Amino acid sequence: MVAFAGHALPIHYATGVIKEHLHTRSAASLFDVSHMGQIRIRPDGTNLVDLCLALEHLVPIDVLGLATGRQRYGVLTDRDGGILDDFMLAKVPGELFMVVNGAQREADAAYLRDHLSGGCQIDTMFADRALLALQGPASETALTRLFPGARDMRFLDIRDATIAGAACLVTRSGYTGEDGFEISVPIGVAEGIAESLADMDEVRPAGLGARDTLRMEAGLCLYGSDIDETTTPVEAGISWAIPRVRRSGGDRCGGFPGAERILDEIDRGPGRLRIGIAPEGRAPMRAGAGIFHDAETPSPIGIVTSGGFGPSLGAPVSMGYVATSHSQPGTRFHVETRGRRLPAQVTALPFVQPRYRRA
């Protein structure tokens, strides 16, 4: 157990990280991710269209075009184009629902209150709601026993659900690269719902160690490691989240913090890029390790931001940043690990292809 964002979080249970990871890939695992921040944004004296347009002044995604009952990924950017946080945003009848990172939840709520103009109400649900993530190919089978409507949902759908007599919100999404669901539940019934799921044959509890190895294999960014205020969405390889309507020439081009730099990088290319790193040996290459052109060059050309062992691959996996000129798959370099420079090469992300239910 570790302390994080006011919560005691399990790194792993008795079976250990590797078995939890592999069970998620083959069946279903239950993660308690209640440390994440859940925020409701509701019109107050205005309408939802105006609220969506106001939020677009803070984020580079298409909020206005998000359909009711759907969710999408986005980032909060600063005036220099850096990333203040990444989040999932959903539109439910009459309001918006946002899930943000646990370490940033207080700062994000304050930022939204400070920068969204009048006409909306921002409600944090940090003390009132828990968040459970049921992930893996058997997650639909398991959740359907408690919420039959789960079987009709597709990737990035959000639905109201009554589970154990409580009003819940269910999204078909997650942070593992597998099919799965995130379930926002009232804090008073969270333990009972979690136990009901964990008692099912397909489901085992899993901790944040497996969540980290799963998201690395899926090529997903971790805020504070792979993305932060020093990285732009383009450098991070997540510019796919910025749609055409918000880009140069789009109907609602720019208007968000850092737009000039971010749109220029989309058009001209950034100076560095996030890459997948495949070590040529068995030694994991972890966050903070320098990347060098060869075994002798004194100056680094990049840095590792995430790294560890990939249980699905039976091999180490890492991600990091290098100069764009060194970012093509197959490019070889050396990474300084425990005082030695070991060979590695750029590999395409993700390491393991996602298995979301898109239809």
Side-chain angles (χ1 to χ4, degrees):
M1 302 289 289
V2 296
F4 181 78
H7 291 249
L9 303 182
I11 298 299
H12 63 82
Y13 293 84
T15 53
V17 172
I18 292 177
K19 287 185 177 179
E20 291 172 14
H21 176 115
L22 295 175
H23 188 79
T24 309
R25 294 279 189 234
S26 64
S29 293
L30 181 66
F31 301 83
D32 184 349
V33 292
S34 300
H35 62 288
M36 303 291 283
Q38 301 179 61
I39 301 173
R40 294 171 65 191
I41 310 174
R42 295 184 290 172
D44 183 13
T46 184
N47 57 56
L48 189 57
V49 169
D50 289 338
L51 174 57
C52 292
L53 291 172
L55 186 56
E56 287 190 357
H57 287 293
L58 301 183
V59 301
I61 68 172
D62 180 5
V63 182
L64 183 63
L66 180 60
T68 299
R70 294 287 289 164
Q71 182 185 53
R72 67 177 35 138
Y73 175 78
V75 292
L76 281 166
T77 53
D78 64 21
R79 63 183 182 181
D80 297 319
I83 299 172
L84 296 172
D85 200 7
D86 63 341
F87 59 82
M88 298 299 294
L89 179 73
K91 187 179 289 184
V92 294
E95 63 186 43
L96 302 173
F97 175 70
M98 182 181 284
V99 177
V100 302
N101 283 292
Q104 298 297 108
R105 64 187 192 181
E106 300 288 354
D108 289 350
Y111 183 83
L112 292 170
R113 290 191 177 106
D114 287 344
H115 291 84
L116 282 178
S117 59
C120 72
Q121 183 174 337
I122 298 169
D123 298 323
T124 57
M125 300 183 286
F126 305 156
D128 302 326
R129 307 285 291 190
L131 191 64
L132 304 175
L134 184 65
Q135 300 285 293
S139 58
E140 179 186 296
T141 298
L143 185 57
T144 296
R145 297 188 185 107
L146 301 182
F147 170 48
R151 67 168 61 92
D152 300 321
M153 296 176 67
R154 58 192 174 98
F155 183 52
L156 298 182
D157 276 350
I158 183 168
R159 295 287 185 271
D160 289 311
T162 300
I163 302 176
C168 303
L169 269 179
V170 177
T171 62
R172 194 158 196 159
S173 61
Y175 193 48
T176 62
E178 292 292 335
D179 184 24
F181 301 86
E182 291 192 347
I183 312 159
S184 173
V185 304
I187 197 73
V189 299
E191 184 176 349
I193 292 174
E195 288 180 345
S196 294
L197 289 167
D199 284 344
M200 296 179 187
D201 290 342
E202 304 92 343
V203 182
R204 295 178 186 170
L208 296 190
R211 193 167 181 253
D212 195 47
T213 55
L214 288 158
R215 69 94 190 166
M216 279 195 290
E217 288 187 348
L220 301 174
C221 295
L222 174 64
Y223 189 81
S225 295
D226 307 296
I227 53 175
D228 57 25
E229 296 96 329
T230 69
T231 56
T232 71
V234 186
E235 292 174 330
I238 54 175
S239 56
W240 49 264
I242 305 174
R244 185 177 299 276
V245 71
R246 304 302 310 278
R247 298 187 181 195
S248 300
D251 289 342
R252 301 193 307 282
C253 166
F256 53 86
E260 182 176 356
R261 177 182 177 184
I262 291 170
L263 297 181
D264 182 70
E265 286 185 349
I266 289 175
D267 293 338
R268 301 173 182 269
R272 63 173 188 156
L273 281 170
R274 181 171 64 97
I275 57 165
I277 301 169
E280 295 185 4
R282 301 288 295 176
M285 296 173 174
R286 302 190 185 277
I291 301 172
F292 296 83
H293 186 269
D294 54 39
E296 305 296 333
T297 305
S299 299
I301 59 170
I303 190 169
V304 176
T305 53
S306 286
F309 182 74
S312 304
L313 304 173
V317 296
S318 296
M319 295 187 290
Y321 286 83
V322 295
T324 303
S325 57
H326 293 78
S327 64
Q328 290 300 310
T331 301
R332 300 184 75 249
F333 44 66
H334 285 70
V335 177
E336 193 161 86
T337 303
R338 295 184 178 179
R340 297 186 299 156
R341 293 191 184 178
L342 303 178
Q345 62 178 284
V346 179
T347 187
L349 292 172
F351 297 97
V352 174
Q353 289 298 318
R355 297 192 291 180
Y356 308 127
R357 180 182 163 182
R358 298 186 182 275

